[in-house]
Structures are given as C-alpha cells and as structure tokens.
Amino acid sequence: MEQFSAVELTPIGDRLLGATVCGLWRLAAVSDDGQIPLTGTLVLESERGFVTLSYSQDGLSVRGPDMLSDIRWDTEPELLPSNQGNAEEWIELIPIEHQIDAPEFPLFVDGVRAWFGIGAYLDTFGIELTSGDRTLVLATTDGFDLNVSSLQQIRRRAELVATHMNLRLIEQEQTL
C-alpha cells in the first residue's frame, strides 16, 4: 500500500487522537410512532464531546466534538436531539447492533489509521482507532453505511474496491 501525506486523515486525527472514546452510537430519527436507525452516521462519545462520522455519496465527513444538544443529522439538520416538547420528530442516540468486533470501552486513542481510494474520486474505506493493542475499526459499505468491522475485513474490502474501481489505495496513519 502506498503512503500519502496525511491531508485526508487530519480532520479525523485532530478530533480523536488523545481522546478517550467511552461509547459508540448510531443516530435514529424518532417520533411518537417509533424510531428509525439512520444509516451512514455513527457517533463516538468521548470526554471531549461527541464526534459524528457521516458517510454518503459525497464521502466521509467528520464533525465535532459537540455537546449532545449540538449533534445533527446531515440530511435533516433541523432535527434536534431529544424530544423538545412539541416536536413531531427528533433524533436520538441508540446502541449499535452487531458490535462483535468492538473493543471494550473506554478506549484511549493513541493512533488513527485510515484507508482511502484515490482516482477519479476519493473514497474512504475504513478507519482504525488504536489503544495499545486494542482497536476499533469502522468500515464504510457499498450502501453508504458505517459499521464496526475487523481489520482483516476492511483491508480485504479496500483492496477489492480499489482494484475494481481503478483507485489508488492509500493508507495513512497518525499517532501520538
């Protein structure tokens, strides 16, 4: 894998290096009728606040750290966290299903690594947060979602997609 300057990794590293991740959540749109998990968005809870990772056709975006009351969903930013009394719909943090590959929290982030495909467009394949020998791997999917994954799965997917989409596979890393 080719090494590249850390231009694309910097927004992630700036927000997470040295932070202690205490929880991992998914956003859900909620109304009196129930909740709908919002694909493509994960929220990392840390002592600094909440860092929101969103993945769409426009690529990966990172926002925060924010207070819980400032978390927004990119698609409908007018939705506020928690029911504010008379709102018909709002957003909430819900636990993520299928976290088999997630480490125990808290996780002090001493390293951040990411895999990107660069060519006619830029794609992010995954992010690895490390704490010593423990890792949290977040993978993007073909359905524009973010999931907890394993290092082996993300590397295999990155190589396959980069090859099939004629992208140059770039691995970047930042450490404390």
Side-chain angles (χ1 to χ4, degrees), residues 84-174:
Q84 303 288 322
N86 59 356
E88 290 183 24
E89 192 174 34
W90 59 94
I91 55 174
E92 287 185 358
L93 298 178
I94 61 171
I96 295 179
E97 300 174 0
H98 312 295
Q99 289 193 57
I100 296 168
D101 292 314
E104 253 185 64
F105 295 110
L107 180 80
F108 176 76
V109 180
D110 60 12
V112 178
R113 185 176 359 179
W115 293 265
F116 301 97
I118 297 178
Y121 62 96
L122 171 70
D123 199 359
T124 305
F125 300 123
I127 301 165
E128 177 191 33
L129 306 177
T130 61
S131 179
D133 61 349
R134 297 185 310 137
T135 63
L136 172 61
V137 179
L138 305 174
T140 60
T141 71
D142 294 337
F144 301 105
D145 198 4
L146 288 161
N147 294 313
V148 177
S149 187
S150 70
L151 194 53
Q152 295 78 17
Q153 288 172 326
I154 191 57
R155 282 185 174 154
R156 183 177 37 214
R157 180 177 181 275
E159 290 170 359
L160 283 171
V161 173
T163 299
H164 289 286
M165 299 306 292
N166 198 29
L167 300 172
R168 197 167 30 128
L169 182 57
I170 305 294
E171 179 179 314
Q172 299 174 353
E173 184 172 9
Q174 292 179 348

Side-chain angles (χ1 to χ4, degrees), residues 35-113:
Q35 68 182 17
I36 301 170
L38 303 174
T39 59
T41 303
L42 293 179
V43 179
L44 297 162
E45 180 181 355
S46 77
E47 84 286 1
R48 297 178 184 172
F50 295 87
V51 175
T52 304
L53 301 171
S54 297
Y55 184 63
S56 70
Q57 292 176 332
D58 296 326
L60 182 73
S61 66
V62 182
R63 190 174 48 243
D66 293 317
M67 296 185 323
L68 182 59
S69 60
D70 294 330
I71 293 174
R72 295 292 182 271
W73 180 35
D74 286 347
T75 304
E76 293 186 46
E78 68 279 0
L79 292 180
L80 300 175
S82 302
N83 188 351
Q84 303 288 322
N86 59 356
E88 290 183 24
E89 192 174 34
W90 59 94
I91 55 174
E92 287 185 358
L93 298 178
I94 61 171
I96 295 179
E97 300 174 0
H98 312 295
Q99 289 193 57
I100 296 168
D101 292 314
E104 253 185 64
F105 295 110
L107 180 80
F108 176 76
V109 180
D110 60 12
V112 178
R113 185 176 359 179

